[in-house]
Amino acid sequence: MLMKGANAIVEALRREGVEVIFGIPGGASIPFYDVLYDADIRHILTRHEQVAAHAADGYARASGKVGVCSATSGPGATNLTTGILNAFMDSSPMVALTGQVPTPLIGKDAFQEADTIGITMPITKHNFQLRRVEEIPVVFKKAFKIARTGRPGPVLVDMPKDVQEKEADVEFPKDVAIQGYKPTLKGNLKQVKKAADMLVAAERPIIFAGGGVIIANASQELARLAETLGAPVVTSLMGKGAFPEDHPLALGVIGMHGRKAANYAINDADVILAIGVRFSDRSTGNVECFAPEAKIIHVDIDPAEIGKNVRVDLPIVGDAKYVLKDLLRMLKIKARQENEWTRKISEYRREFQPKMDYDDFPLKPQRVVKEIMEVLGENDIVTTEVGQCQMWAEHFLSRTKARTFITSGGLGTMGFGFPAALGAKVARPESNVVDIAGDGSFLMVCQDLATSVKEDIPVVVAIFDNHYLGMVRQWQELFFDKRYSAVKLGRVDFVALAEAFRARGVKVKRPGEVAPAVKEAFEAGVTTVIDIVVNPVENIFPMVPPGKCLKDMVEGV
Amino acid sequence: MKETHILVALVEDKPGVMQRVSGLFRKRNFNIDSITVGHSEKPGVSRMTLTVTGDHAVLEQVMKQLNKVIEVLKVIELDKKSSVQRELALVKIRTKNETARSEVVSYVNIFRGRIVDVSKESLVVEITGDSSKIEAFVNLVTTFGVIELARTGVTAMSRGTGK
Ligand SMILES: Cc1ncc(C[n+]2csc(CCOP(=O)(O)OP(=O)(O)O)c2C)c(N)n1
Ligand SMILES: [Mg+2]
């Protein structure tokens, strides 16, 4: 087929099933946008490229499909980078498209030139620069395949302007082989058998599930395994929702601001089945004293994760779903009876129920989470910003389904939650979407209220408004002699801000007012910013102080 | 235990591969002593030889992370005993007078090096061998004055018929 590069690009996207692109055009991507003008792919114009990248990421996490974002060369591309790295750290499938100066100008410091390939090499799973029109179909096939398969991640395609404009004969292959890329899906059966034996023989088994379980859509298998073994399930922050948190075997998230029950239980365990996790330092606390008595079985699709952060007794490289299925087949036991361990787990659950029913004024964030939970349906989606707000959600909010809790786990990016909420809403318009936000985080991306109104993507931004960079303030209070350096944000009239963008703005101050405000916002049909004034100096506890062991969780410092 | 390991990576011969590999080492804070690259017996495939210092866990991570680079086709560790390692060095040595010159020449002969350039006051010597041989030679001739030293870094291959 004789066609222009830009047409070939759009055709390749169409063939990959791309329904929506988040982005901002510019000089180096005008030919591409010219073709998009007639294409039946929705383009959502954001007001900042970082938002485009996070929205594509949110879309990907909510849907399981590849999220696509687009920016022009130079500043457009560099603005994408935070969002690309965020997706990389959390293994989110993304294809990022960037314009580039015409090939003859590359390397000449041309107007809006950036070495996008060089800049994004360490923050993408792979990247490509188009050289010829003829290679466009193959490059895009590879890009989507790499982004989506194995351990997913962002792939960038840099598109020099002349390649978008030139005409050539192109052919679209059905599939492509990528020589050096063969993710292992099926776990080694001998190893899986050993894992089954270890789990059956264990006295105090526990399952530690992460984002990999969600990516592999393996929640059902996970639940069956847990029930068969009678093993409690803890998760990483990224694994929240992989296992229903209201299940009698669910203990919640482990780690720095995880649940006490979860941290104590993993500390007590004698065998850990870790699946789709990467043992981040925020999860393990001090690794020297992480689960001291446990043998660790580590299942992950990325062999490099195994043995990277903790010692592993039994490695299994494979996809969470494949391995869980094989494991279930090999477990030749009936569901386990109640025993000393399960009784201890129930005891932990009872004893360490997080307390949320405060009636204080000013509002306590714990209470705010409780009220939000009251109006959330199981298929509704929560995204978060970063800071105390995120940790309130991690600790107190409970989620029962995969892909209903979307947070920036690895990078901890303030300004992620609102764009991710937009992306999630585009992916699943039938679900309500609420961003649990901090005032500081939201101000980093609030200009995209314009996008949400103009593009009719109604979400709820619930600001835990403490007038502080609260998490930093907390660390300064606890570990830096209350020397509050550069953390006071002061007041912002978020209602007026929302209204300036023709969104709704609501202010809430008292216990009992949050749930109705959120419910109303869900029904409003337009993005609503709820400014929830909370106690400015409330600290998030319990906490594992930095450098300490999970069992040393404290209620205050 | 910290040790020097020799790794061979077969990679697709494409622009940017070298940067991907070296960038990976910097990003992961791996210690790399030398890296050499050139064509292999297969068209389109380059062969990299890397020498890396670290304990077993570091080595394992290096190999796994290298394998994640899309253009890396294969990574193997060469056992030092059952492989040959060679490095080439060019050494420009000051030879102020006849005695210095004849002394250097005799060292070159002992080390089976070659003199590849001669001028009034200097010699350029080419020497190949494993790294310790090159170091020994360079140490010997420093007393005369080493004007310039260029080492290629190690390249290596397993002994015997197998790959
Ligand atoms: C982009 C970015 N810049 C800086 C930080 C460091 N940081 C972590 S939490 C935090 C405070 C967040 O404030 P806010 O959004 O108001 O949430 P709060 O902690 O008050 O709930 C900061 C500055 C970060 N995580 N991300
Ligand atoms: Mg705040």
Side-chain angles (χ1 to χ4, degrees):
Chain A
M1 265 184 282
L2 193 67
M3 57 169 82
K4 272 196 188 171
N7 291 82
I9 292 164
V10 173
E11 178 59 20
L13 295 172
R14 206 188 55 75
R15 285 170 185 252
E16 292 299 328
V18 174
E19 291 163 348
V20 58
I21 298 173
F22 301 87
I24 302 182
S29 59
I30 287 188
F32 168 61
Y33 273 82
D34 187 57
V35 178
L36 267 188
Y37 192 69
D38 301 318
D40 52 3
I41 295 177
R42 181 177 180 194
H43 183 274
I44 293 172
L45 174 67
T46 60
R47 301 300 185 268
H48 192 297
E49 289 86 352
Q50 182 183 346
V51 170
H54 290 325
D57 188 344
Y59 173 89
R61 297 193 207 194
S63 66
K65 297 183 204 160
V66 178
V68 181
C69 57
S70 144
T72 191
S73 63
T78 53
N79 271 353
L80 280 184
T81 52
T82 302
I84 293 173
L85 178 54
N86 190 80
F88 191 46
M89 296 279 274
D90 288 347
S91 310
S92 190
M94 174 193 286
V95 168
L97 308 172
T98 49
Q100 182 55 278
V101 302
T103 315
L105 290 183
I106 291 178
K108 308 286 196 299
D109 300 319
F111 177 63
Q112 294 196 327
E113 181 181 358
D115 174 13
T116 305
I117 293 294
I119 290 170
T120 59
M121 221 173 243
I123 60 170
T124 51
K125 189 170 169 188
H126 197 59
N127 58 16
F128 297 92
Q129 186 170 62
L130 299 177
R131 312 242 151 182
R132 296 180 307 119
V133 177
E134 291 85 341
E135 70 182 19
I136 287 172
V138 169
V139 166
F140 274 83
K141 225 28 301 119
K142 285 186 179 173
F144 277 84
K145 187 169 180 173
I146 293 169
R148 167 195 308 131
T149 59
R151 178 180 185 174
V155 176
L156 181 136
V157 183
D158 200 32
M159 316 182 295
K161 192 173 183 180
D162 56 322
V163 182
Q164 297 173 48
E165 286 171 322
K166 265 186 217 145
E167 227 178 26
D169 208 13
V170 292
E171 258 176 72
F172 291 88
K174 279 233 156 56
D175 196 12
V176 285
I178 306 169
Q179 229 188 333
Y181 178 74
K182 289 175 204 75
T184 308
L185 295 176
K186 204 169 161 60
N188 178 308
L189 287 180
K190 273 193 203 135
Q191 298 286 92
V192 177
K193 179 76 179 70
K194 275 191 208 158
D197 293 344
M198 276 168 76
L199 287 164
V200 170
E203 276 174 28
R204 301 180 307 282
I206 198 166
I207 299 172
F208 174 27
V213 174
I214 295 174
I215 292 167
N217 297 315
S219 289
Q220 269 191 339
E221 289 80 4
L222 174 67
R224 273 181 46 213
L225 183 75
E227 284 161 8
T228 312
L229 289 171
V233 179
V234 298
T235 71
S236 63
L237 178 60
M238 292 303 298
K240 198 174 173 76
F243 187 73
E245 290 189 296
D246 58 357
H247 193 286
L249 289 168
L251 295 175
V253 181
I254 63 164
M256 182 174 272
H257 289 290
R259 293 253 174 117
K260 255 191 180 170
N263 281 343
Y264 287 177
I266 202 162
N267 185 71
D268 292 345
D270 66 349
V271 173
I272 299 174
L273 173 67
I275 181 149
V277 297
R278 61 183 178 84
F279 293 97
S280 102
D281 51 288
R282 283 291 190 268
S283 290
T284 58
N286 187 339
V287 278
E288 302 297 324
C289 48
F290 174 72
E293 291 166 36
K295 288 222 177 324
I296 299 178
I297 305 164
H298 191 183
V299 182
D300 204 279
I301 198 159
D302 180 358
E305 284 307 335
I306 297 177
K308 188 180 82 181
N309 293 343
V310 298
R311 56 171 173 85
V312 167
D313 299 281
L314 184 69
I316 300 177
V317 177
D319 176 271
K321 197 179 185 90
Y322 281 73
V323 175
L324 281 170
K325 276 193 171 155
D326 283 336
L327 203 45
L328 277 165
R329 249 187 330 105
M330 288 182 182
L331 276 183
K332 295 207 178 66
I333 53 166
K334 293 227 177 64
R336 253 204 244 178
Q337 297 302 306
E338 217 194 56
N339 55 44
E340 208 179 311
W341 176 233
T342 55
R343 277 191 293 275
K344 186 158 190 187
I345 295 303
S346 317
E347 212 177 286
Y348 276 157
R349 272 176 67 92
R350 250 193 328 274
E351 192 177 339
F352 301 118
Q353 273 299 330
K355 180 168 164 53
M356 304 168 79
D357 53 352
Y358 298 97
D359 291 321
D360 304 44
F361 177 86
L363 266 167
K364 278 195 181 259
Q366 299 88 319
R367 167 68 186 241
V368 177
V369 174
K370 174 174 180 281
E371 291 197 31
I372 292 175
M373 253 163 67
E374 283 166 13
V375 294
L376 273 181
E378 61 171 6
N379 290 316
D380 291 342
I381 297 170
V382 175
T383 68
T384 82
E385 300 296 345
V386 166
Q388 289 178 315
C389 50
Q390 179 185 32
M391 296 299 108
W392 296 121
E394 171 186 39
H395 190 93
F396 292 95
L397 190 82
S398 117
R399 295 273 69 200
T400 55
K401 284 201 165 177
R403 302 189 187 280
T404 65
F405 185 79
I406 296 174
T407 195
S408 170
L411 196 59
T413 314
M414 292 169 69
F416 169 76
F418 175 48
L422 297 177
K425 183 70 181 176
V426 170
R428 289 172 39 192
E430 69 293 350
S431 296
N432 295 306
V433 182
V434 55
D435 171 29
I436 293 196
D439 44 341
S441 297
F442 181 60
L443 284 173
M444 290 193 178
V445 287
C446 64
Q447 76 285 339
D448 271 78
L449 282 169
T451 306
S452 88
V453 172
K454 174 89 176 16
E455 293 281 342
D456 193 18
I457 312 168
V459 300
V460 179
V461 181
I463 303 178
F464 286 46
D465 191 358
N466 54 9
H467 317 309
Y468 273 115
L469 296 172
M471 185 54 103
V472 182
R473 192 206 58 77
Q474 173 167 345
W475 277 56
Q476 290 173 343
E477 178 186 333
L478 302 180
F479 310 119
F480 289 86
D481 292 334
K482 305 194 174 162
R483 289 156 53 84
Y484 297 119
S485 178
V487 288
K488 185 116 188 85
L489 295 170
R491 275 162 212 284
V492 172
D493 186 345
F494 284 107
V495 173
L497 177 83
E499 286 170 352
F501 286 99
R502 296 185 295 118
R504 276 177 82 235
V506 183
K507 191 160 186 156
V508 161
K509 288 180 176 168
R510 276 165 221 292
E513 290 177 1
V514 179
V518 176
K519 189 151 187 291
E520 232 174 87
F522 283 160
E523 286 153 11
V526 64
T527 287
T528 304
V529 177
I530 310 178
D531 183 11
I532 308 166
V533 183
V534 296
N535 185 342
V537 293
E538 187 72 24
N539 288 331
I540 165 88
F541 281 115
M543 173 180 197
V544 178
K548 290 279 163 52
C549 317
L550 292 187
K551 68 172 170 32
D552 301 329
M553 209 166 196
V554 293
E555 290 294 345
V557 175
Chain B
M1 197 181 59
K2 271 203 178 182
E3 242 187 286
T4 304
H5 304 271
I6 300 170
L7 298 180
V8 170
L10 296 175
V11 304
E12 284 182 75
D13 182 11
K14 284 198 180 151
V17 179
M18 190 71 173
Q19 195 192 342
R20 280 185 209 283
V21 170
S22 57
L24 174 80
F25 275 76
R26 189 194 42 72
K27 165 175 162 178
R28 298 273 169 195
N29 213 6
F30 296 143
N31 269 322
I32 186 166
D33 302 325
S34 78
I35 179 168
T36 62
V37 62
H39 295 300
S40 72
E41 76 281 2
K42 246 197 186 160
V45 176
S46 299
R47 181 175 173 120
M48 280 187 187
T49 310
L50 308 117
T51 53
V52 182
T53 310
D55 59 18
H56 178 75
V58 168
L59 179 74
E60 190 180 312
Q61 264 299 300
V62 170
M63 293 183 70
K64 285 174 166 179
Q65 294 294 348
L66 276 173
N67 266 315
K68 278 171 70 168
V69 177
I70 305 281
E71 290 107 338
V72 171
L73 306 175
K74 195 175 173 186
V75 184
I76 47 168
E77 188 194 1
L78 286 184
D79 177 38
K80 273 191 252 166
K81 284 197 204 86
S82 58
S83 65
V84 279
Q85 301 116 43
R86 287 294 179 271
E87 189 178 352
L88 183 143
L90 295 174
V91 199
K92 189 179 285 178
I93 305 158
R94 198 182 299 288
T95 46
K96 280 203 212 93
N97 47 40
E98 244 348 276
T99 23
R101 177 173 306 237
S102 63
E103 255 184 85
V104 170
V105 169
S106 69
Y107 288 140
V108 171
N109 287 335
I110 295 167
F111 278 80
R112 293 176 211 275
R114 288 204 309 151
I115 292 161
V116 290
D117 183 65
V118 185
S119 72
K120 260 175 83 185
E121 296 208 333
S122 69
L123 290 175
V124 177
V125 173
E126 172 199 308
I127 179 152
T128 30
D130 61 17
S131 303
S132 60
K133 175 176 162 188
I134 288 170
E135 266 142 41
F137 178 78
V138 173
N139 278 340
L140 266 179
V141 297
T142 37
T143 47
F144 303 97
V146 171
I147 301 167
E148 256 189 293
L149 171 65
R151 293 176 65 163
T152 58
V154 177
T155 190
M157 189 174 279
S158 63
R159 295 177 191 276
T161 319
K163 265 200 189 176

